[in-house]
Amino acid sequence: MKTYKAYCIDLDGTVYRGKEPILETVQFIHHLQQHNIEPFFVTNNASQTADQVKAKLKGFGIEAKRSHIMTSAMAAAKYIVLHYPDVSVSMIGESGLREALVENGVKIVESSTDVFVMGIDRDITYEKLAQACLDIRKGAVFISTNSDRAFPSERGLLPGNGAFTTLVQTSTGVDPIFIGKPGGQMLEIIQQEHQFAKEDMVMIGDNYDTDILAGIWFGIDTIHVNSGVTSTEDVLSKPFPPTLTLDNLLEIL
Amino acid sequence: MKTYKAYCIDLDGTVYRGKEPILETVQFIHHLQQHNIEPFFVTNNASQTADQVKAKLKGFGIEAKRSHIMTSAMAAAKYIVLHYPDVSVSMIGESGLREALVENGVKIVESSTDVFVMGIDRDITYEKLAQACLDIRKGAVFISTNSDRAFPSERGLLPGNGAFTTLVQTSTGVDPIFIGKPGGQMLEIIQQEHQFAKEDMVMIGDNYDTDILAGIWFGIDTIHVNSGVTSTEDVLSKPFPPTLTLDNLLEIL
């Protein structure tokens, strides 16, 4: 089995399901760390800060390095700094997105005609959505942390940021720039900040349409695990299958 | 000029623009009433009750008969009673929709796997949208009062019920049944309750994609007025133009 320098591991459906750890993945991560390899954690979830992700992983017995946690909120903030330096940004989102913007020196305002960035917000209001539509109609660039239409909860599948993004897109007629997987932004930032060669990177996840496609489009190896959204059977029927399909990550130890 | 028994007149963009009456239409309505013709008012706006619409029109000097006011909320309630009698219904919406359901004897519950009906709700919350998605995923029929993506306000175009409907549609993958214009439900109810022949009915409005198409699809005459969303020029370029295009309704007195 080929080994890599950068194991980029999805969280929900790969490391845990909701509040339950996936024990094989936890064991796999411990194995990597025993061999002095610090894995990267790559999540579309923009609601949590890096410290909140770190604390959640610690609850599952995983000591993650804060600098190895990459959320779509952090990638969105870096994308804005790179492409729209020195602008004021309006936003819809939770603490993960707000902190990522502040940490990257982005000025957050109530209303901006420069850039509007959208992440999941469980305290959504009509007024927030109305202001977003007005900003975008006045010309603000429309950035969305991720296109996930739904996410699992103990109650069932709940509406995700992609569904809210569609609301604003439908109302304004303006298409968003999506940052999260299947986009390659998060993987590209990891590559650039740590100077990895692409052949030393692998993307590991349960969801073909986000995790595996992100890796394929970015041009790195991919490993699918059969612990979440997409079944191995479905993955193998795709025109572009992953490098490897596993039931769980213990199979490659 | 042909005369009709049922003048079905759109409200926003035809009788008024936001808080301003369109004086030619007000005068036209007075003229009809002086000739003992009570016009019908046909609106996609599901937020207001018939009494609220009546009061708004009174503020513009129009004495509308309550029985001649038809909102997409009232049509949605009648649609539910007709097609899904004796079920419990969950809803998102304002007083217009709630009152219409209650008036038609529909039982409203917090969560239903029978029918979910959606209208504009300026007090929208994540929890309301989450519960709607859960109900629909469990099999509730998905009904939406109207597909309007945006509506005008003094601040600009704000997100309409069609945009919120798209959110739920995107997240669940279930297509809604739309009740309002360009659907013919409201016109059909007017026809049936008052026993009009279709040749005695006309739909009058400013918006080609809702008002005029509703009339055309229902099979009655249509009059477009150049006071709102669609310009006369655009209307005349359509493959199915209205029966008549006017700058304002005084032209046919």
Side-chain angles (χ1 to χ4, degrees), chain A residues 2 71 76 84 112 126 163 165 197 251:
Chain A
K2 177 178 173 182
T71 73
Y84 307 99
S112 167
Y126 186 84
T165 301
E251 294 178 32

PDB file of all heavy atoms in Angstrom, chain A residues 2 71 76 84 112 126 163 165 197 251:
ATOM      1  N   LYS A   2       0.592   2.140  -0.958  1.00  0.00           N
ATOM      2  CA  LYS A   2       1.322   3.399  -1.045  1.00  0.00           C
ATOM      3  C   LYS A   2       1.113   4.219   0.215  1.00  0.00           C
ATOM      4  O   LYS A   2       0.028   4.226   0.788  1.00  0.00           O
ATOM      5  CB  LYS A   2       0.807   4.178  -2.272  1.00  0.00           C
ATOM      6  CG  LYS A   2       1.452   5.552  -2.444  1.00  0.00           C
ATOM      7  CD  LYS A   2       0.962   6.262  -3.694  1.00  0.00           C
ATOM      8  CE  LYS A   2       1.503   7.693  -3.717  1.00  0.00           C
ATOM      9  NZ  LYS A   2       1.035   8.453  -4.886  1.00  0.00           N
ATOM     10  N   THR A  71     -11.544  24.110   7.305  1.00  0.00           N
ATOM     11  CA  THR A  71     -12.983  24.150   7.068  1.00  0.00           C
ATOM     12  C   THR A  71     -13.269  25.010   5.829  1.00  0.00           C
ATOM     13  O   THR A  71     -12.438  25.832   5.418  1.00  0.00           O
ATOM     14  CB  THR A  71     -13.739  24.767   8.265  1.00  0.00           C
ATOM     15  OG1 THR A  71     -13.496  26.187   8.285  1.00  0.00           O
ATOM     16  CG2 THR A  71     -13.298  24.166   9.593  1.00  0.00           C
ATOM     17  N   ALA A  76     -12.922  29.928   2.548  1.00  0.00           N
ATOM     18  CA  ALA A  76     -13.647  31.079   1.986  1.00  0.00           C
ATOM     19  C   ALA A  76     -12.960  32.383   2.382  1.00  0.00           C
ATOM     20  O   ALA A  76     -12.795  33.291   1.561  1.00  0.00           O
ATOM     21  CB  ALA A  76     -15.103  31.067   2.465  1.00  0.00           C
ATOM     22  N   TYR A  84     -10.112  39.406  -3.333  1.00  0.00           N
ATOM     23  CA  TYR A  84     -10.747  40.711  -3.083  1.00  0.00           C
ATOM     24  C   TYR A  84     -10.110  41.370  -1.857  1.00  0.00           C
ATOM     25  O   TYR A  84     -10.766  41.572  -0.841  1.00  0.00           O
ATOM     26  CB  TYR A  84     -12.256  40.537  -2.884  1.00  0.00           C
ATOM     27  CG  TYR A  84     -12.899  39.777  -4.013  1.00  0.00           C
ATOM     28  CD1 TYR A  84     -13.170  38.420  -3.896  1.00  0.00           C
ATOM     29  CD2 TYR A  84     -13.217  40.414  -5.215  1.00  0.00           C
ATOM     30  CE1 TYR A  84     -13.725  37.713  -4.949  1.00  0.00           C
ATOM     31  CE2 TYR A  84     -13.773  39.715  -6.270  1.00  0.00           C
ATOM     32  CZ  TYR A  84     -14.026  38.354  -6.124  1.00  0.00           C
ATOM     33  OH  TYR A  84     -14.585  37.656  -7.166  1.00  0.00           O
ATOM     34  N   SER A 112     -22.811  45.103   2.173  1.00  0.00           N
ATOM     35  CA  SER A 112     -21.656  45.385   1.313  1.00  0.00           C
ATOM     36  C   SER A 112     -22.035  45.170  -0.144  1.00  0.00           C
ATOM     37  O   SER A 112     -22.729  44.209  -0.470  1.00  0.00           O
ATOM     38  CB  SER A 112     -20.487  44.459   1.659  1.00  0.00           C
ATOM     39  OG  SER A 112     -19.493  44.529   0.647  1.00  0.00           O
ATOM     40  N   TYR A 126     -35.548  36.302   7.964  1.00  0.00           N
ATOM     41  CA  TYR A 126     -35.908  36.870   6.670  1.00  0.00           C
ATOM     42  C   TYR A 126     -35.042  38.086   6.368  1.00  0.00           C
ATOM     43  O   TYR A 126     -34.584  38.269   5.235  1.00  0.00           O
ATOM     44  CB  TYR A 126     -37.391  37.249   6.642  1.00  0.00           C
ATOM     45  CG  TYR A 126     -37.817  37.708   5.271  1.00  0.00           C
ATOM     46  CD1 TYR A 126     -38.188  36.788   4.299  1.00  0.00           C
ATOM     47  CD2 TYR A 126     -37.798  39.057   4.922  1.00  0.00           C
ATOM     48  CE1 TYR A 126     -38.534  37.193   3.029  1.00  0.00           C
ATOM     49  CE2 TYR A 126     -38.142  39.472   3.645  1.00  0.00           C
ATOM     50  CZ  TYR A 126     -38.516  38.537   2.708  1.00  0.00           C
ATOM     51  OH  TYR A 126     -38.841  38.942   1.438  1.00  0.00           O
ATOM     52  N   ALA A 163     -28.802  24.543   0.142  1.00  0.00           N
ATOM     53  CA  ALA A 163     -30.230  24.839  -0.064  1.00  0.00           C
ATOM     54  C   ALA A 163     -30.505  26.323   0.172  1.00  0.00           C
ATOM     55  O   ALA A 163     -31.234  26.960  -0.600  1.00  0.00           O
ATOM     56  CB  ALA A 163     -31.083  23.981   0.862  1.00  0.00           C
ATOM     57  N   THR A 165     -28.284  28.653  -0.123  1.00  0.00           N
ATOM     58  CA  THR A 165     -27.614  29.359  -1.223  1.00  0.00           C
ATOM     59  C   THR A 165     -28.514  29.380  -2.456  1.00  0.00           C
ATOM     60  O   THR A 165     -28.593  30.399  -3.158  1.00  0.00           O
ATOM     61  CB  THR A 165     -26.275  28.662  -1.536  1.00  0.00           C
ATOM     62  OG1 THR A 165     -25.464  28.669  -0.359  1.00  0.00           O
ATOM     63  CG2 THR A 165     -25.540  29.375  -2.658  1.00  0.00           C
ATOM     64  N   ALA A 197       3.952  17.870  -2.702  1.00  0.00           N
ATOM     65  CA  ALA A 197       3.729  17.492  -4.099  1.00  0.00           C
ATOM     66  C   ALA A 197       2.378  16.773  -4.160  1.00  0.00           C
ATOM     67  O   ALA A 197       1.979  16.113  -3.198  1.00  0.00           O
ATOM     68  CB  ALA A 197       4.841  16.569  -4.574  1.00  0.00           C
ATOM     69  N   GLU A 251      -8.287  -1.551   6.786  1.00  0.00           N
ATOM     70  CA  GLU A 251      -7.857  -2.466   5.714  1.00  0.00           C
ATOM     71  C   GLU A 251      -6.517  -2.101   5.093  1.00  0.00           C
ATOM     72  O   GLU A 251      -5.893  -2.931   4.450  1.00  0.00           O
ATOM     73  CB  GLU A 251      -8.921  -2.488   4.594  1.00  0.00           C
ATOM     74  CG  GLU A 251     -10.240  -3.079   5.031  1.00  0.00           C
ATOM     75  CD  GLU A 251     -11.272  -3.028   3.908  1.00  0.00           C
ATOM     76  OE1 GLU A 251     -10.896  -3.120   2.728  1.00  0.00           O
ATOM     77  OE2 GLU A 251     -12.465  -2.870   4.233  1.00  0.00           O
TER      78      GLU A 251
END
